[in-house]
Amino acid sequence: MSADLEEGPDLQLDFSKLANASQPQVLPCAVQDAATGEVILVAYVNEAALARALETRSAVFWSTSRNELWEKGATSGETFDLVEVRVNCEQNSLLYRVRPRRGGICHTKNLTGAPRNCFYRRLDFDTGALVHLDP
Amino acid sequence: MSADLEEGPDLQLDFSKLANASQPQVLPCAVQDAATGEVILVAYVNEAALARALETRSAVFWSTSRNELWEKGATSGETFDLVEVRVNCEQNSLLYRVRPRRGGICHTKNLTGAPRNCFYRRLDFDTGALVHLDP
């Protein structure tokens, strides 16, 4: 992952994401901080990930890039309590409402060294550039 | 879409969703009410949908079932102002922060006849059943 893609101001959306998912048996899952209401991640969940999430009451996903169970924070320590799981009308997407045990959910960090939440940039409507919300 | 799937208490997740997407050039997009913080929908956005959303400052998606631009509320009247667009770290998902001009975003309605938001059911951790939040 290039620094520009993750840190730069240019919009470089990866519209091929789903086409390349070699594990298609997944649902998109919006992840929301239950206390602040902030949407902090959109990830993927398959049956195994959901089962593990319910078993551990933690945020567990399926990594479509590594093709493996992604127990959030297992290595970084930034784990998340699973407060609530919601299902949409057509049962083809999920919402995890979570509570951070420690810090942000993103693998990127802000200038203070703290993990961010993943949606740390907004698209400026006038310039088309990405604006950092947590530089 | 069966009533049971949309209204019933049983978990019937459609894990084949992405496998069947015949328009793979899309990103998952979490949609959040900017005023209440509620996550009201997870949908898909392609380049054309994002361009149209920015042009109209409205919530516009790509319908992966109909394979067409989905200008939310064009027929129902439930349109949504696009307040902010956020992009995640890897630029492979989106967050639309929106303001409803009238009502809920879902095609389902509650008992009062009002359109709901899509995540109107939570998964009961003890029973595994879905519990209505807006019956």
Side-chain angles (χ1 to χ4, degrees), chain A residues 1 10 14 19 27 33 38-39 41 43 51 60 66 88 94-95 98 108 118-119 123 134:
Chain A
M1 203 61 55
D10 300 317
D14 176 15
L27 299 180
D33 185 309
E38 192 175 3
V39 176
L41 174 70
V60 181
R66 298 191 307 273
N88 77 323
L94 294 169
L95 170 62
V98 302
T108 72
C118 291
F119 290 99
L123 184 62
D134 184 14

Side-chain angles (χ1 to χ4, degrees), chain B residues 14-15 49 51 60 65-66 87-88 98 101 104 109-110 113 115 122 129:
Chain B
D14 176 14
F15 283 107
V60 180
S65 54
R66 296 191 309 273
V87 177
N88 77 322
V98 302
R101 293 195 190 116
K109 292 176 167 51
N110 64 19
R122 67 171 178 81

Side-chain angles (χ1 to χ4, degrees), chain A residues 1 4-8 10-19 21 24-30 32 37-39 41-42 44-48 50 54 57 82-95 97 106-108 118-126 130 133, chain B residues 1 4-8 10-19 21 24-30 32 37-39 41-42 44-48 50 54 57 82-95 97 106-108 118-126 130 133:
Chain A
M1 203 61 55
D4 181 60
L5 183 68
E6 292 190 341
E7 300 292 338
D10 300 317
L11 191 67
Q12 304 174 61
L13 295 171
D14 176 15
F15 283 107
S16 66
K17 169 71 185 174
L18 299 187
Q25 300 297 301
V26 294
L27 299 180
C29 178
Q32 181 178 40
E38 192 175 3
V39 176
L41 174 70
V42 170
Y44 297 91
V45 171
N46 65 1
E47 281 194 279
L50 181 59
L54 296 175
R57 299 285 168 92
L82 188 64
V83 176
E84 190 176 76
V85 175
R86 292 193 193 172
V87 176
N88 77 323
C89 49
E90 296 181 340
Q91 299 208 33
N92 54 24
S93 64
L94 294 169
L95 170 62
R97 291 169 52 82
C106 195
H107 65 287
T108 72
C118 291
F119 290 99
Y120 52 83
R121 291 174 297 184
R122 67 170 177 82
L123 184 62
D124 188 290
F125 285 161
D126 295 321
L130 297 175
L133 302 170
Chain B
M1 202 60 55
D4 181 60
L5 184 68
E6 292 191 340
E7 300 292 339
D10 300 317
L11 192 66
Q12 303 174 60
L13 294 171
D14 176 14
F15 283 107
S16 66
K17 168 72 185 174
L18 300 186
Q25 300 298 300
V26 294
L27 299 180
C29 178
Q32 181 178 40
E38 192 176 4
V39 176
L41 173 70
V42 170
Y44 296 91
V45 171
N46 65 0
E47 280 194 281
L50 181 59
L54 296 175
R57 300 285 168 90
L82 188 65
V83 175
E84 191 176 75
V85 174
R86 292 192 192 172
V87 177
N88 77 322
C89 50
E90 295 181 341
Q91 299 208 33
N92 54 23
S93 63
L94 294 169
L95 170 62
R97 290 169 52 82
C106 195
H107 65 287
T108 73
C118 290
F119 290 100
Y120 52 83
R121 290 175 299 185
R122 67 171 178 81
L123 183 62
D124 188 290
F125 285 161
D126 297 320
L130 297 175
L133 302 169

